[in-house]
Protein backbone atom coordinates (compact mmCIF):
# COMPACT_ATOMS: atom_id res chain seq x y z
CA UNK A 1 0.00 0.00 0.00
CA UNK A 2 1.52 3.27 -1.13
CA UNK A 3 1.68 5.91 1.55
CA UNK A 4 3.04 9.43 1.42
CA UNK A 5 3.17 11.44 4.62
CA UNK A 6 4.13 15.09 4.54
CA UNK A 7 5.29 17.05 7.56
CA UNK A 8 7.07 20.25 8.44
CA UNK A 9 4.49 22.85 7.52
CA UNK A 10 3.40 25.65 9.79
CA UNK A 11 3.12 29.38 10.27
CA UNK A 12 6.20 31.41 9.46
CA UNK A 13 6.91 35.10 9.03
CA UNK A 14 7.93 36.52 5.65
CA UNK A 15 11.61 35.88 5.07
CA UNK A 16 11.56 32.77 7.22
CA UNK A 17 12.34 29.17 6.36
CA UNK A 18 10.70 25.79 6.59
CA UNK A 19 11.75 22.31 5.60
CA UNK A 20 9.06 19.97 4.41
CA UNK A 21 9.49 16.22 4.50
CA UNK A 22 7.67 13.50 2.62
CA UNK A 23 8.10 10.00 4.00
CA UNK A 24 7.17 7.31 1.52
CA UNK A 25 6.36 3.63 1.91
CA UNK A 26 4.78 0.78 0.01
CA UNK A 27 6.86 1.02 -3.13
CA UNK A 28 10.50 1.06 -4.25
CA UNK A 29 11.25 4.65 -3.42
CA UNK A 30 14.69 4.80 -5.03
CA UNK A 31 13.30 3.89 -8.44
CA UNK A 32 10.60 6.52 -8.61
CA UNK A 33 10.33 10.19 -9.37
CA UNK A 34 8.90 12.16 -6.47
CA UNK A 35 7.14 15.47 -6.89
CA UNK A 36 6.16 18.39 -4.70
CA UNK A 37 3.01 20.31 -5.61
CA UNK A 38 1.22 23.13 -3.90
CA UNK A 39 -2.27 24.52 -3.97
CA UNK A 40 -3.17 27.97 -2.75
CA UNK A 41 -6.76 28.90 -1.86
CA UNK A 42 -8.80 29.44 -5.00
CA UNK A 43 -5.98 28.38 -7.28
CA UNK A 44 -5.07 25.26 -9.20
CA UNK A 45 -2.52 22.83 -7.92
CA UNK A 46 0.92 23.58 -9.35
CA UNK A 47 4.14 21.62 -9.65
CA UNK A 48 6.90 22.98 -7.45
CA UNK A 49 9.75 20.49 -7.77
CA UNK A 50 10.67 17.08 -9.13
CA UNK A 51 13.12 14.67 -7.56
CA UNK A 52 14.43 12.05 -9.94
CA UNK A 53 16.26 8.93 -8.83
CA UNK A 54 19.45 10.90 -9.06
CA UNK A 55 19.14 14.64 -9.01
CA UNK A 56 16.12 16.85 -9.25
CA UNK A 57 15.00 20.31 -10.09
CA UNK A 58 12.80 23.17 -9.05
CA UNK A 59 10.09 23.60 -11.67
CA UNK A 60 8.23 26.68 -10.45
CA UNK A 61 9.90 29.89 -11.56
CA UNK A 62 8.58 31.94 -8.66
CA UNK A 63 10.48 29.83 -6.11
CA UNK A 64 13.73 29.25 -7.98
CA UNK A 65 16.66 30.48 -5.94
CA UNK A 66 14.67 30.16 -2.71
CA UNK A 67 13.59 26.52 -2.62
CA UNK A 68 15.87 23.51 -2.85
CA UNK A 69 15.22 19.82 -3.12
CA UNK A 70 16.89 16.93 -1.37
CA UNK A 71 16.32 13.20 -1.32
CA UNK A 72 17.44 10.44 1.01
CA UNK A 73 16.84 7.05 -0.60
CA UNK A 74 18.00 5.25 2.55
CA UNK A 75 15.19 6.93 4.50
CA UNK A 76 12.62 6.87 1.69
CA UNK A 77 12.20 10.59 2.19
CA UNK A 78 12.22 13.64 -0.03
CA UNK A 79 12.64 17.14 1.36
CA UNK A 80 11.75 20.62 0.22
CA UNK A 81 13.83 23.34 1.85
CA UNK A 82 12.03 26.66 1.57
CA UNK A 83 13.91 29.86 2.33
CA UNK A 84 13.02 33.53 2.05
CA UNK A 85 9.37 32.64 2.22
CA UNK A 86 6.82 35.10 0.92
CA UNK A 87 3.10 35.45 1.64
CA UNK A 88 2.39 34.17 -1.85
CA UNK A 89 4.00 30.87 -0.89
CA UNK A 90 1.06 30.21 1.39
CA UNK A 91 -0.51 26.96 0.25
CA UNK A 92 -1.03 23.33 1.06
CA UNK A 93 2.03 21.42 -0.10
CA UNK A 94 1.59 17.89 -1.39
CA UNK A 95 3.93 15.04 -2.11
CA UNK A 96 3.18 12.99 -5.22
CA UNK A 97 4.37 9.88 -6.99
CA UNK A 98 3.15 8.25 -10.17
CA UNK A 99 3.52 4.49 -10.33
CA UNK A 100 2.54 2.92 -13.63
CA UNK A 101 -0.64 4.86 -14.46
CA UNK A 102 -1.71 5.66 -10.90
CA UNK A 103 -0.93 8.87 -9.09
CA UNK A 104 -0.65 8.87 -5.34
CA UNK A 105 -0.88 11.88 -3.08
CA UNK A 106 -0.14 12.61 0.52
CA UNK A 107 -2.58 14.41 2.76
CA UNK A 108 -0.70 17.67 2.40
CA UNK A 109 0.90 20.03 4.87
CA UNK A 110 -0.21 23.62 5.33
CA UNK A 111 2.34 26.39 4.92
CA UNK A 112 1.23 29.85 5.96
CA UNK A 113 3.51 32.83 5.49
CA UNK A 114 2.22 35.82 7.38
CA UNK A 115 3.35 38.51 9.76
Amino acid sequence: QVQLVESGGGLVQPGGSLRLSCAASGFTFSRNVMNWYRQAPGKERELVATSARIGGSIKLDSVKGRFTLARDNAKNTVYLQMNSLKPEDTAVYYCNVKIATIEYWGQGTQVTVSS
Side-chain angles (χ1 to χ4, degrees):
Q1 180 182 0
V2 174
Q3 284 193 322
L4 302 172
V5 179
E6 302 97 334
S7 61
L11 173 64
V12 63
Q13 292 187 342
S17 297
L18 285 173
R19 188 178 79 156
L20 305 184
S21 300
C22 172
S25 60
F27 62 100
T28 306
F29 178 82
S30 61
R31 295 181 183 176
N32 285 275
V33 174
M34 302 297 297
N35 303 301
W36 282 102
Y37 283 79
R38 73 182 186 185
Q39 188 166 21
K43 296 187 177 181
E44 293 188 355
R45 195 170 293 190
E46 57 186 358
L47 178 63
V48 177
T50 293
S51 173
R53 288 178 290 173
I54 298 177
S57 62
I58 302 297
K59 299 297 188 182
L60 190 61
D61 287 343
S62 63
V63 307
K64 287 181 179 178
R66 301 188 294 119
F67 290 12
T68 56
L69 197 60
R71 179 182 184 127
D72 187 336
N73 287 333
K75 294 183 178 180
N76 287 1
T77 301
V78 62
Y79 305 95
L80 185 66
Q81 177 67 43
M82 308 187 297
N83 299 327
S84 301
L85 282 161
K86 302 177 180 181
E88 50 264 42
D89 295 318
T90 294
V92 179
Y93 285 72
Y94 296 92
C95 187
N96 162 276
V97 64
K98 186 175 181 180
I99 301 173
T101 60
I102 302 174
E103 287 203 78
Y104 298 89
W105 297 88
Q107 82 287 353
T109 186
Q110 176 71 49
V111 171
T112 302
V113 185
S114 175
S115 56

